[in-house]
Amino acid sequence: MPVLAVIPSDPIEEYLSGGIDHLMDYYNPRRFFDKVYVLSPLEKREHEIDGLRIIPTKDKQLPSRLSDLEVDLVRAYG
């Protein structure tokens, strides 16, 4: 069960307002990963959008968060 963590360069709302409607397809083409987490210091609250779990994560929290979520691959921007 492969797990992906995405670290975006902008808040998720910016992608949505920019016209990217299907975030799961954008970050996880062909649905290769069973779970996709968005880990970002730019987010204010934990929530889910289009099957993605958005988790506010500060830089220093990242290593433990990746381990706790058993992430197989990180896709980072910026």
Side-chain angles (χ1 to χ4, degrees):
M1 184 158 105
V3 177
L4 173 68
V6 175
I7 303 171
S9 55
D10 295 304
I12 290 301
E13 284 302 318
E14 299 245 349
Y15 290 89
L16 295 172
S17 66
I20 298 174
D21 296 350
H22 304 284
L23 290 171
M24 182 60 87
D25 292 336
Y26 180 72
Y27 288 126
N28 189 17
R30 296 188 176 175
R31 307 281 172 138
F32 178 81
F33 294 94
D34 294 322
K35 291 184 182 178
V36 180
Y37 298 101
V38 175
L39 308 177
S40 173
L42 305 171
E43 299 298 324
K44 303 289 186 221
R45 62 182 178 87
E46 187 170 329
H47 60 287
E48 193 168 307
I49 296 177
D50 194 32
L52 303 172
R53 187 166 162 206
I54 317 298
I55 305 172
T57 303
K58 297 193 184 313
D59 295 346
K60 61 185 171 188
Q61 296 173 306
L62 193 55
S64 63
R65 185 84 54 162
L66 293 171
S67 178
D68 292 347
L69 296 173
E70 299 180 357
V71 171
D72 296 301
L73 183 74
V74 175
R75 183 175 178 180
Y77 296 82

